[in-house]
Amino acid sequence: MKSLAAVLMFLSGSAFAQCDNASHVFDIPYAKNSSYFAGQYASQLDSFSKSSSSNQGYLLLEFKVDPKQLTAEAQQYNKWLAERRIERVKSYLNKTEYSAPVITRILTASNNVDRSVSITWCSDEPEQSAIQVASKDD
């Protein structure tokens, strides 16, 4: 129920998605000028989708855009590309029938731009441990 309240607050316009119990899951990096992620991240999204299906909370997808571009056209392109990258992750999660709400945010005042979509789990349950995702490094 709290997840629904968080989504409704976010959709109301002036609300800000607050993530008090945040657990960074992983980042999905992108090549320059690309909105497609590598297959290994599809596997990680599959594992995450299966492991988090019973948890209460929502998923936060964030992308940082460099606000210091030289031209308005470059700024517009980078924002468009950020939206495409986030949308690819959301679309993939929809195909896996991921059931938790997904909130997206593009950060436009960041000094650290790394061309990655950051995936963070925001738990509605106090002191919930981070969701573990299987990776090739483990």
Side-chain angles (χ1 to χ4, degrees):
M1 187 55 116
K2 289 182 182 181
S3 295
L4 180 59
V7 171
L8 291 175
M9 284 178 32
F10 181 74
L11 294 175
S12 68
S14 62
F16 178 60
Q18 184 175 342
C19 189
D20 294 329
N21 296 320
S23 298
H24 183 261
V25 181
F26 59 93
D27 291 332
I28 298 179
Y30 289 84
K32 187 174 183 177
N33 294 323
S34 176
S35 66
Y36 294 95
F37 55 86
Q40 72 190 57
Y41 299 103
S43 297
Q44 284 186 306
L45 285 170
D46 288 340
S47 295
F48 173 76
S49 181
K50 290 175 188 170
S51 69
S52 67
S53 61
S54 63
N55 296 319
Q56 294 294 319
Y58 64 92
L59 195 62
L60 178 62
L61 305 178
E62 291 183 317
F63 193 88
K64 298 173 183 172
V65 176
D66 186 0
K68 301 173 188 158
Q69 294 295 322
L70 299 175
T71 66
E73 184 177 277
Q75 288 176 348
Q76 183 178 15
Y77 172 75
N78 284 340
K79 187 170 184 246
W80 172 82
L81 189 56
E83 290 169 354
R84 296 259 314 169
R85 290 169 172 169
I86 285 176
E87 190 56 39
R88 296 255 188 232
V89 175
K90 282 177 51 179
S91 293
Y92 190 88
L93 288 169
N94 284 336
K95 289 177 186 174
T96 65
E97 298 181 5
Y98 183 70
S99 60
V102 177
I103 306 293
T104 63
R105 182 165 50 199
I106 296 176
L107 305 174
T108 58
S110 176
N111 292 329
N112 182 17
V113 178
D114 62 3
R115 291 195 310 261
S116 295
V117 171
S118 174
I119 299 175
T120 303
W121 176 255
C122 297
S123 174
D124 286 345
E125 299 171 5
E127 300 181 25
Q128 179 179 350
S129 62
I131 296 173
Q132 299 297 316
V133 177
S135 70
K136 291 184 180 182
D137 296 336
D138 290 345

